[in-house]
Amino acid sequence: MTEQRFDPSQADGRWQRAWDEARCFEADSDSNRPKSYVLEMFPYPSGRIHIGHVRNYTMGDVLARYKRMTGHEVLHPMGWDAFGMPAENAAMEQGVHPAGWTYQNIATMKAQLKRLGFALDWSREIATCDPSYYGHEQALFLDMYEAGLVYRRQSAVNWDPVDQTVLANEQVVDGRGWRSGALVEKRQLNQWFLKITQFAQDLLGGLGTLEDWPEKVRLMQENWIGKSEGLQFRFDLTNGDTLDVYTTRPDTIFGASFVAVAPDHPLAEAVAQVNCDAAKFIEKCRAGGTTAAELETAEKLGFDTGIGAVHPFDPDKRLPVYIANFVLMDYGTGAIMAVPGHDQRDFEFATKYGLPIVRVVAASAEQADAPLTEAEAGDGVLVHSAILDGMTVPEAKRAVIAAAESQGWGEGKTVWRLRDWGVSRQRYWGTPIPFIHCGECGVVPVPKEQLPVTLPEDVDFSIPGNPLVRHPTWKHVDCPKCGGAAERETDTLDTFVNSSWYFLRFASQPADRPFDRDEVAKWLPVDQYIGGIEHAILHLLYARFWTRALKHIGKIDVAEPFRSLFTQGMVTHETYERKNPENGQPVYFGPGEIERSAEGAVLKADGDPVTIGRVIKMSKSKKNVVDPDDMVERYGADAVRWFMLSDSPPERDLPWSESGIEGCGRFVQRLWRLFSQYDDAATGEDRALQRKQHQTIAAAAEDIEALAFNKAVARVYEFTSAVEKAPPSATRSESIATLMLLASPMMPHLSEEAWHNAGFDGLVSEAEWPPVDPALLIEDEVTIAVQVKGKLRDTLTVAKGLPQVEVEALALASEKVQRALDGAEVRKVIVVPDRLVNIVA
RNA sequence: GCGGGUGUGGCGGAAUGGUAGACGCCGGGGACUUAAAAUCCCCUGAGCUUUGCUCGUGCCGGUUCGAGUCCGGCCACCCGCACCA
């Protein structure tokens, strides 16, 4: 006899232990079933699992469990993206060691994930902060160095002069250090780079093969790589020098009214040597923000160097050369020809400094003198452009490039927006870069047999700066080449490096090398990768680059790491706030502190109302967070999982609500009551229910494979209602068993318990997805909409496949149709078979 | 600023160019109960002159027999912008 209510507090743990004991989620690479590699982006161990993680991993889990039920050998691993700044911040703020803090968090979060019943292969767990992981990363980095994919050069960092520390962009607030409040300076340091640009064309071309990636992500990457074809050419300057500029619009060369260089361009620096106003201007630019967003939103500012540039088509024409804050040194040559008529940035600059704005492209020759109120980037024909007049934009581009090449002052050139990847971080909690600096031999790689270069444990975070630099002994080593005194590299690798190959390490974990080539060949590519849209560009591009780099140096034979990608939305929640009467700043309250009703919300503490604010991404600062553990404790893992899948399409944001999770808890119990009605002694057929059953199996499978979990959930609801209403029969019992199977990827604990109680053998987690009888999918009647002039007037229920003429006759015979027609003459009748009739009068 | 996305009832959403609002939440009514919880049933886009009609998918316009869906232009919000992960 089964209990009245399903009790997750004891059932969840029992089945989780049963899965562990059966080791049913460990991937067997010797299996001859078709493989399926399901991977969710691994989490940063920040402390506790966030509800957003729960959503991400629930989606992957449903797919992994479904794939296992449909006969696949599934690899569904989990690990920890364990290096990063928060551990160092915790060390500084709480006096804990980054390693201790990180491993403690991992233990906590692992227990939380276990409580949710995810079908993960924990035998392959990795933490990137473990030397057994990052040691192999160091080896791969050295391999890339040997292959010429790693180099060093000067590059700017944000320097906090008070804390004597390099700051990340997010640590710079309004141009000041977040801790010290000091004005941040740009400082040049020698840093390590990976040559991602060597693969620019391949990374771009590869996007075309990624059919199962969202179009938007491919577009974003394409724009990020930013291939552009244009003209690089040389201006002769009035001071006797020359200046190389790059333009994607050589056709507009007659519209150029000035030339601009980046503040850190050599020409700008040369001018600053002799002109202190220029030096001050450059100083001002350096004090500003470093990010592209800040540069481009800042007011356009320039400094006239007094130098003139000779127009290549008109030796008498001189263009003033400016230093301008909106020109980027990293793109092209760091210098541009500015065409205000056809580039909005140039337009704003020209307006501000009173420079000429000339139209050189118009819709037609007659429009040559149409006034410009903003820059026009559209197509048209060339005007006011001497020899180019009348040409189209593409013709003029070709003509100018041809002229430059034949006259020897420039050449057509492909330029990429993509820049090489700076991987140096002046921080402790990361992978040590395995190099040694020797006064005699220069930069020397650490010999492979000396890997891993591990982090020293005795470090002091009470003072700012990189502890590796000031550690008493760690960096002092003998040069591997000459044996003389030398120093270790104290920079560590960007944490994006850790996440650029972890999916390979999951496939196999040999101790003596990063991965096994055959195992990688067996499991890769990842069949379904799931993560947040915020990783659309950087992480995914870096992982694609590492895959190419490792293939290039002969380590693997994988073209693309992720065959199919899915980007899920965020979990959001209402905010509850009051205005602080003293400063007008909002004071936030957590969901646990308030009492929510249909009328509004009141604070439990004082019973007075609070304002219900916008529904936004959960964040600690807004206190609109819920803790997954609390929810699992109150409603059980299955209700939480069900909520994560319900309602919102997975690619969109999911608003968490208390009433929503309560509804899910109720549905778990409702299913439980239905499951307990399973009776293998029942007899009799129920054709309609049988039809519904098979339609539901097919539709749910289709929905899960399309990751449309919200639709699969709706199918289960619908089918549940149908089974509940059906009178007892063998079909009904069969339907109940089917429902256990359909629900099992989403609500595995409930399903295991019910499966067991119904007397079935084995675990439902190892059962097969129920087969579909195609004959039962077809309906024999259809409902046809009848429209008059596009408006619905009636519906008809007819046999499926009824000939068009008969449908038309039935529609015209309808009383409602005749009334709507009101005697008007029928001009045309459109019949869509089995769907609709539209009568046009 | 640039690149990418999203917008449908009170709320989350469904809908191969073909019946807009499936399914769920909230709310309302009823049954059961001494009562409550739990459960079950019914109703639930707006308006109107209610056998039915009109309006309605962010806003403005277009294509079509027919537009939530396609095209053009706007608006709002979200994501990314290279040292957050």
Side-chain angles (χ1 to χ4, degrees):
Chain A
M1 205 54 226
T2 55
E3 304 90 310
Q4 282 300 292
R5 286 180 66 79
F6 175 66
D7 179 9
S9 67
Q10 52 91 17
D12 285 3
R14 190 168 64 243
W15 293 110
Q16 286 158 18
R17 283 189 296 278
W19 298 326
D20 278 347
E21 278 159 27
R23 302 172 69 154
C24 49
F25 305 130
E26 289 182 20
D28 174 11
S29 59
D30 294 327
S31 165
N32 51 16
R33 297 168 138 215
K35 69 97 182 177
S36 182
Y37 186 175
V38 178
L39 183 67
E40 300 97 55
M41 290 177 186
F42 65 165
Y44 178 78
S46 56
R48 297 183 66 75
I49 287 290
H50 183 274
I51 202 84
H53 293 126
V54 178
R55 189 180 192 202
N56 190 188
Y57 303 141
T58 302
M59 291 179 192
D61 201 55
V62 171
L63 188 70
R65 286 173 175 273
Y66 168 80
K67 285 288 179 189
R68 184 167 290 105
M69 293 179 83
T70 52
H72 295 80
E73 187 62 35
V74 174
L75 174 57
H76 186 214
M78 182 54 70
W80 309 95
D81 189 10
F83 274 136
M85 286 201 308
E88 293 196 12
N89 293 336
M92 279 180 253
E93 286 155 17
Q94 305 161 29
V96 291
H97 193 280
W101 183 84
T102 301
Y103 281 105
Q104 181 58 53
N105 289 346
I106 287 174
T108 305
M109 292 168 77
K110 183 175 177 179
Q112 288 186 291
L113 291 182
K114 287 229 163 197
R115 278 195 281 280
L116 282 152
F118 294 134
L120 291 163
D121 181 352
W122 285 105
S123 72
R124 296 174 188 244
E125 179 182 5
I126 51 181
T128 57
C129 65
D130 196 303
S132 69
Y133 182 83
Y134 71 70
H136 298 303
E137 186 168 298
Q138 291 168 337
L140 293 173
F141 192 74
L142 291 176
D143 291 336
M144 289 190 192
Y145 176 75
E146 279 164 33
L149 294 173
V150 174
Y151 66 96
R152 264 158 66 87
R153 70 166 161 88
Q154 290 269 308
S155 178
V157 293
N158 297 311
W159 179 254
D160 184 322
V162 170
D163 277 353
Q164 297 283 299
T165 297
V166 176
L167 298 176
N169 283 338
E170 73 157 14
Q171 296 175 320
V172 179
V173 181
D174 297 328
R176 292 172 181 275
W178 66 341
R179 265 185 241 279
S180 69
L183 279 174
V184 169
E185 300 165 5
K186 279 177 211 170
R187 190 175 265 209
Q188 295 290 323
L189 294 180
N190 235 332
Q191 306 201 68
W192 293 92
F193 282 80
L194 282 174
K195 239 187 234 176
I196 189 173
T197 54
Q198 186 172 318
F199 297 87
Q201 181 61 56
D202 194 28
L203 286 164
L204 180 64
L207 293 172
T209 70
L210 296 172
E211 289 165 21
D212 294 320
W213 278 40
E215 180 65 29
K216 61 179 173 182
V217 176
R218 287 189 282 166
L219 248 178
M220 280 192 258
Q221 292 214 352
E222 183 180 330
N223 291 332
W224 186 263
I225 296 167
K227 183 179 186 175
S228 67
E229 318 224 343
L231 172 69
Q232 181 168 324
F233 70 98
R234 197 176 58 248
F235 276 113
D236 289 325
L237 301 181
T238 51
N239 68 357
D241 286 342
T242 60
L243 175 68
D244 277 335
V245 302
Y246 175 77
T247 179
T248 57
R249 293 295 304 272
D251 53 305
T252 62
I253 194 164
F254 286 93
S257 54
F258 65 102
V259 169
V261 301
D264 35 358
H265 190 280
L267 176 67
E269 280 162 9
V271 171
Q273 294 286 312
V274 295
N275 182 331
C276 61
D277 286 339
K280 273 183 204 155
F281 177 77
I282 293 168
E283 203 52 45
K284 194 171 159 194
C285 293
R286 283 200 181 139
T290 49
T291 69
E294 284 171 314
L295 285 175
E296 286 175 38
T297 45
E299 191 193 357
K300 309 274 176 290
L301 293 176
F303 179 86
D304 188 349
T305 61
I307 299 169
V310 180
H311 195 284
F313 282 101
D314 183 357
D316 296 329
K317 195 171 173 186
R318 300 275 184 280
L319 305 176
V321 177
Y322 279 79
I323 302 168
N325 66 345
F326 67 93
V327 180
L328 303 173
M329 191 59 217
D330 291 314
Y331 183 74
T333 61
I336 60 163
M337 72 165 197
V339 185
H342 304 281
D343 182 287
Q344 190 57 29
R345 289 165 303 183
D346 300 350
F347 185 93
E348 286 169 31
F349 191 92
T351 305
K352 185 177 173 83
Y353 291 99
L355 295 157
I357 299 170
V358 184
R359 175 188 284 281
V360 288
V361 177
S364 65
E366 291 73 42
Q367 301 285 305
D369 295 308
L372 283 161
T373 54
E374 58 180 354
E376 288 181 11
D379 259 342
V381 295
L382 274 286
V383 296
H384 302 307
S385 294
I387 53 166
L388 305 176
D389 279 356
M391 290 184 188
T392 64
V393 166
E395 284 166 356
K397 282 183 178 171
R398 283 194 292 272
V400 172
I401 291 170
E405 288 178 349
S406 67
Q407 294 163 25
W409 48 270
E411 57 186 0
K413 196 174 171 188
T414 300
V415 165
W416 304 82
R417 208 185 77 97
L418 183 68
R419 309 198 297 258
D420 276 339
W421 176 13
V423 293
S424 277
R425 296 294 181 270
Q426 295 70 34
R427 281 178 225 295
Y428 166 78
W429 196 233
T431 305
I433 296 177
F435 281 89
I436 290 165
H437 300 278
C438 171
E440 295 298 316
C441 313
V443 177
V444 182
V446 172
K448 283 245 182 109
E449 59 275 13
Q450 290 176 22
L451 296 182
V453 176
T454 55
L455 292 166
E457 284 170 26
D458 52 330
V459 283
D460 174 15
F461 281 92
S462 62
I463 43 173
N466 184 350
L468 293 179
V469 175
R470 58 170 184 264
H471 189 278
T473 56
W474 183 78
K475 70 178 175 185
H476 301 293
V477 288
D478 295 338
C479 171
K481 231 182 208 172
C482 68
E487 289 193 355
R488 286 194 190 284
E489 170 64 61
T490 55
D491 282 358
T492 51
L493 289 172
D494 180 6
T495 56
F496 270 126
V497 175
N498 308 143
S499 54
S500 290
W501 68 283
Y502 76 111
F503 43 89
L504 300 174
R505 183 76 185 164
F506 276 141
S508 70
Q509 299 166 314
D512 59 341
R513 56 201 195 283
F515 38 73
D516 182 275
R517 199 192 172 101
D518 293 338
E519 292 290 320
V520 167
K522 193 168 293 172
W523 289 107
L524 272 283
V526 172
D527 293 282
Q528 183 65 61
Y529 196 35
I530 307 177
I533 185 68
E534 66 272 22
H535 295 293
I537 296 176
L538 291 180
H539 161 59
L540 290 167
L541 195 64
Y542 292 149
R544 295 181 64 222
F545 159 60
W546 264 64
T547 302
R548 281 166 170 74
L550 293 174
K551 188 180 180 192
H552 179 73
I553 62 179
K555 297 279 173 191
I556 57 173
D557 196 29
V558 177
E560 287 284 352
F562 312 120
R563 190 184 59 71
S564 179
L565 172 73
F566 188 84
T567 55
Q568 105 266 7
M570 299 177 301
V571 181
T572 58
H573 195 286
E574 286 178 334
T575 48
Y576 308 105
E577 60 180 84
R578 280 180 183 166
K579 288 271 177 286
N580 180 334
E582 280 164 31
N583 55 19
Q585 292 295 307
V587 180
Y588 293 97
F589 301 100
E593 298 175 88
I594 64 113
E595 198 76 57
R596 182 78 167 84
S597 70
E599 291 78 44
V602 297
L603 191 65
K604 282 180 188 165
D606 59 18
D608 289 333
V610 295
T611 308
I612 298 174
R614 291 197 308 138
V615 177
I616 54 171
K617 177 179 181 172
M618 286 192 185
S619 79
K620 281 181 190 161
S621 66
K622 302 287 192 298
K623 289 200 182 171
N624 60 336
V625 291
V626 295
D627 186 73
D629 269 2
D630 290 350
M631 297 302 140
V632 169
E633 197 172 311
R634 281 159 64 186
Y635 302 99
D638 290 338
V640 174
R641 294 168 59 109
W642 188 248
F643 185 88
M644 294 288 104
L645 301 166
S646 301
D647 295 351
S648 286
E651 68 277 12
R652 269 201 242 167
D653 290 351
L654 168 70
W656 179 274
S657 76
E658 201 65 19
S659 56
I661 182 70
E662 278 168 16
C664 292
R666 281 196 298 272
F667 184 65
V668 167
Q669 298 301 335
R670 183 176 155 202
L671 258 189
W672 177 248
R673 287 190 298 274
L674 181 60
F675 285 166
S676 68
Q677 292 169 21
Y678 177 81
D679 173 13
D680 57 7
T683 54
E685 268 202 6
D686 183 336
R687 287 296 282 181
L689 187 62
Q690 214 168 38
R691 193 179 291 278
K692 183 83 185 165
Q693 183 190 337
H694 285 260
Q695 285 169 347
T696 302
I697 297 167
E702 196 177 306
D703 291 336
I704 290 173
E705 282 182 31
L707 307 183
F709 303 111
N710 58 319
K711 293 200 244 173
V713 162
R715 309 278 185 200
V716 171
Y717 272 120
E718 225 173 321
F719 187 46
T720 300
S721 297
V723 179
E724 282 172 338
K725 289 191 182 81
S729 67
T731 307
R732 187 173 191 267
S733 282
E734 184 190 299
S735 292
I736 291 172
T738 294
L739 204 43
M740 292 175 195
L741 292 165
L742 299 191
S744 71
M746 311 187 218
M747 296 191 271
H749 309 88
L750 170 73
S751 303
E752 289 289 5
E753 187 92 350
W755 189 253
H756 173 79
N757 287 347
F760 293 111
D761 289 335
L763 295 165
V764 77
S765 297
E766 295 184 312
E768 269 178 46
W769 188 256
V772 174
D773 179 352
L776 288 168
L777 298 181
I778 304 154
E779 292 283 0
D780 41 20
E781 280 192 333
V782 288
T783 305
I784 289 182
V786 183
Q787 298 179 336
V788 176
K789 288 182 279 187
K791 282 192 176 162
L792 183 74
R793 296 299 171 185
D794 201 0
T795 56
L796 301 170
T797 301
V798 300
K800 191 175 164 73
L802 192 72
Q804 292 198 15
V805 279
E806 289 182 44
V807 174
E808 189 177 326
L810 280 170
L812 285 167
S814 158
E815 189 190 323
K816 289 171 182 170
V817 167
Q818 285 305 321
R819 202 183 321 130
L821 279 170
D822 196 24
E825 187 197 345
V826 174
R827 292 206 320 243
K828 191 175 172 188
V829 179
I830 289 148
V831 181
V832 181
D834 292 338
R835 290 213 75 127
L836 157 147
V837 179
N838 188 10
I839 298 160
V840 186

